[in-house]
């Protein structure tokens, strides 16, 4: 197999090593300035896969740093031309290409409004990198597949690096350095399991992905990856929201990918799994303790729940890839998509 | 027909009148204190339908008041026990029942952390109302249907009232007072059109709802209403996100409810409609200028795009109701749901 998507999925452990090492000095400089300027809250501006990464960032910064985080609605700036008073804020634009006009506009306006601004991007020469005061680079190498993988996980790694230096948590940093190893392990563990489960999904027209809390990012990124490469209508849910109404609409045999990593969310996720099973849905659990079956995919815990999303997305990326192959689709050229989506 | 859901949908114009009149003094007091304390940003905490309402609030406050707004992730508090430094924030808990433990915990913690706190609720005696310093009541009367309708639109009305008094926009206030009239008109215009379109959806197993910007709240609330009452798997999209990948997964004949109110989003919504049509999807446009057909539902513009979401949700509520009837389901007792969902 010479698929670009598959190669890039496998490059992720090395890419993460480069991201952590390459961005450390720039991160320290940003943290020093944020503390000097007494930043009171953080705003993240992103679209698509980068927006899913930002969802991880918001949970992580709030949990680890105790600082409030919001996700920007770019259209407030681009469509409604609002002038938002970003006093005392750190505003972070996230985009692998750095070419999205809407995100660049948010960062440009925030900088004018006096906010501290940061670009997280894989493209050093991008407009985004030139617009923000500070830049953290993903160091992922050029991403050729239309479906983003290594720019997603390296962005998560940069968020984790930033949170660990901001909170001065040596423990989180140590765990972060071990993430590439856990990722290698999950790649190995997925080799035989994922293709078998993927084949059982050939006729699935609809899927659900479900996670909670810090892991919600994994649910929304999995859903996007599966939808855009395999054309399966895939809807992500936080388990709390699912129980607030939409569970009534889950039909018999609907495949539900449940992310059940070790940690705070596991008890509720197992409860949701039981409720979905009782409704006749097909529950496929991703967990580090399960028994080999068609309804199970292995996870590898990276030492702390806080970093689990960096590793847990890998089996879902591979599931999207192998479902493509099983359906005879081209994983590198999803229909109707281009690498850079420009929205205003 | 003596359905509670249908009665409550029809009660909305009167409920909004009561909300605007009943909450004015309390809103003025809150605004005065927010300005005295120099609030720098707003955080909204909510679940389910109230969270959809909060999505409208975030756009409205940013556009009209120029103040940054974020949506809280309650699990950061309840699962991860984060202590967030809400200095200089206004933190708003939104819940019709005021009984959700997670929202109450967010408000309790925010108040302890020194934030200005506000409850928006339909239940004066609730824990939420007792936990926050300030309270705005929906004045919607008891809501008996499991699917929330009048507590949703009255919550939007309270957000609009707050934004108009905060920004001292007499124009917005004047338009707000005319919303009940536009709502009466859309109820009348829907009477013959909605049941006919609903019948064409009897065999739809999946639907999309699509809107953009300020109107995204209408897409997510419509999707929730349709999913929880008719059991149709209904996925909401911002049109920008839809183009970022998931459009590849939209199958031939999938019904797509497109909200195309007058205003800034109309050109892009029409473009998205054309792209969906080109893929073979069935596009049902909600708009104030269209011609009678099975793929069109009438909207009534309330004088300003900013208040359109208060009126535009009504045909979608009625569509959920009439699709229930067409399928022989009981709109008042959706399976597997209870009125108050408690999540921690």
């Amino acid at each position: 197999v010479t698929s670009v998507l598959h190669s890039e999925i496998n490059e992720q452990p090395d890419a993460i090593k480069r991201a952590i090492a390459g961005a450390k000095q720039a991160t320290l400089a940003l943290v020093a300035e944020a503390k000097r300027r007494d930043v009171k809250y953080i705003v993240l501006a992103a679209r698509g896969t980068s927006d899913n990464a930002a969802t991880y960032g918001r949970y992580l910064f709030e949990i680890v740093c105790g600082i409030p985080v919001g996700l920007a609605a770019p259209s407030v700036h681009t469509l409604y031309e609002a002038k938002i008073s970003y006093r005392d804020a750190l505003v972070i634009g996230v985009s692998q290409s750095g070419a999205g006009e809407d995100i660049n506009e948010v960062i440009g306006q925030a900088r004018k409004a006096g906010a501290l601004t940061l670009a997280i991007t894989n493209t050093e020469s991008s407009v985004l990198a030139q617009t923000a005061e500070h830049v953290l680079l993903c160091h992922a190498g050029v991403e050729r597949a239309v479906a983003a993988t290594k720019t997603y996980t390296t962005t998560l790694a940069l968020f984790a690096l930033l949170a660990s230096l901001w909170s001065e948590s040596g423990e989180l940093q140590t765990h972060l350095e071990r993430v590439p190893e856990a990722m290698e392990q999950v790649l190995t563990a997925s080799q035989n399991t994922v293709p078998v489960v993927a084949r059982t999904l050939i006729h699935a027209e609809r899927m659900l992905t479900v996670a909670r809390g810090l892991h919600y990012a994994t649910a929304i990124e999995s859903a996007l990856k599966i939808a855009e490469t395999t054309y399966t209508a895939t809807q992500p849910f936080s388990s709390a929201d699912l129980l607030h109404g939409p569970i009534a609409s889950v039909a018999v045999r609907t495949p539900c990918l449940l992310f059940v990593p070790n940690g705070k969310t596991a008890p509720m996720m197992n409860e949701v799994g039981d409720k979905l099973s009782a409704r006749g849905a097909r529950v496929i659990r991703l967990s580090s303790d399960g028994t080999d079956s068609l309804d199970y995919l292995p996870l590898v815990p990276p030492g702390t729940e806080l970093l689990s999303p960096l590793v847990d997305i890998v089996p879902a990326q591979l599931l999207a890839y192998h479902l493509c192959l099983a359906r005879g689709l081209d994983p590198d050229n999803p229909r109707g998509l281009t690498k850079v989506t420009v929205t205003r």
Side-chain angles (χ1 to χ4, degrees), chain A:
Chain A
V1 186
T2 55
S3 147
V4 172
L5 180 61
H6 195 250
S7 306
E8 290 181 350
I9 290 172
N10 282 292
E11 281 170 33
Q12 292 179 106
D14 285 341
I16 293 219
K17 279 181 211 161
R18 288 196 303 271
I20 300 169
K24 188 160 178 181
Q25 287 313 311
T27 307
L28 282 168
L30 171 78
V31 167
E33 189 167 348
K35 298 212 166 172
R36 194 179 58 73
R37 288 168 67 162
D38 192 21
V39 159
K40 294 199 174 62
Y41 63 98
I42 296 174
V43 176
L44 293 159
R47 284 274 186 214
T49 293
S50 299
D51 202 32
N52 299 341
T55 296
Y56 170 71
R58 75 100 82 225
Y59 280 90
L60 192 71
F61 293 146
E62 290 198 336
I63 294 169
V64 173
C65 309
I67 188 162
V69 184
L71 301 180
S75 68
V76 166
H77 299 261
T78 56
L79 283 186
Y80 300 100
E81 293 158 22
K83 298 287 168 251
I84 298 183
S85 169
Y86 284 123
R87 290 178 292 169
D88 304 327
L90 165 61
V91 183
I92 308 179
V94 189
S95 166
Q96 69 83 17
S97 71
E101 285 178 38
D102 46 1
I103 304 307
N104 295 338
E105 201 163 319
V106 174
I107 298 302
Q109 291 191 8
R111 190 169 176 178
K112 262 190 227 158
L116 178 60
T117 51
L118 167 67
I120 293 186
T121 178
N122 196 36
T123 312
E124 194 166 4
S125 60
S126 63
V127 174
L128 180 61
Q130 286 155 25
T131 306
E133 284 163 272
H134 290 256
V135 182
L136 301 184
L137 293 172
C138 295
H139 297 280
V142 177
E143 189 169 62
R144 289 185 296 142
V146 170
T149 55
K150 60 182 183 173
T151 55
Y152 174 74
T153 45
T154 51
T155 300
L156 299 197
L158 292 179
F159 284 135
L161 181 66
L162 179 52
S164 72
L165 295 176
W166 187 296
S167 65
E168 299 171 20
S169 164
E171 199 191 331
L172 187 58
Q173 252 187 284
T174 307
H175 284 305
L176 181 57
E177 276 155 23
R178 290 190 195 139
V179 160
E181 197 187 319
M183 220 177 218
E184 294 285 8
Q185 287 169 12
V186 88
L187 282 165
T188 305
S190 301
Q191 228 156 34
N192 297 318
T193 52
V194 172
V196 175
V197 172
R199 268 175 239 139
T200 69
L201 294 167
I202 289 181
H203 297 288
E205 287 173 8
R206 180 177 185 236
M207 283 176 67
L208 260 62
T209 61
V210 189
R212 205 188 165 199
L214 186 68
H215 310 284
Y216 181 55
T218 310
I220 52 181
E221 173 60 7
S222 299
L224 176 57
K225 228 54 0 173
I226 294 167
E228 68 181 357
T229 59
T230 74
Y231 320 143
T232 315
T234 310
Q235 187 165 1
F237 283 102
S238 117
S239 54
D241 289 335
L242 184 62
L243 297 180
H244 256 93
I247 194 167
S249 72
V250 179
V252 168
R253 269 188 306 280
T254 305
C256 303
L257 279 194
L258 253 72
F259 291 90
V260 195
N262 293 349
K264 303 272 191 190
T265 67
M268 192 195 193
M269 289 307 300
N270 281 318
E271 201 183 297
V272 170
D274 293 345
K275 281 191 182 162
L276 286 165
S277 295
R279 300 187 62 83
R282 178 177 169 213
V283 174
I284 302 174
R285 275 189 176 75
L286 291 94
S287 147
S288 59
D289 51 355
T291 44
D292 216 21
S293 84
L294 294 179
D295 299 327
Y296 166 72
L297 287 174
L299 294 183
V300 174
T304 167
E305 179 187 357
L306 296 172
L307 300 175
S308 212
L310 280 75
V311 184
D312 300 349
I313 189 63
V314 174
Q317 293 168 337
L318 287 167
L319 188 70
Y321 168 75
H322 284 288
L323 184 51
C324 266
L325 296 194
R327 287 181 175 170
L329 302 169
D330 179 355
D332 293 334
N333 292 297
R335 65 181 181 212
L337 292 180
T338 50
K339 182 72 187 157
V340 178
T341 312
V342 177
T343 44
R344 276 199 56 85

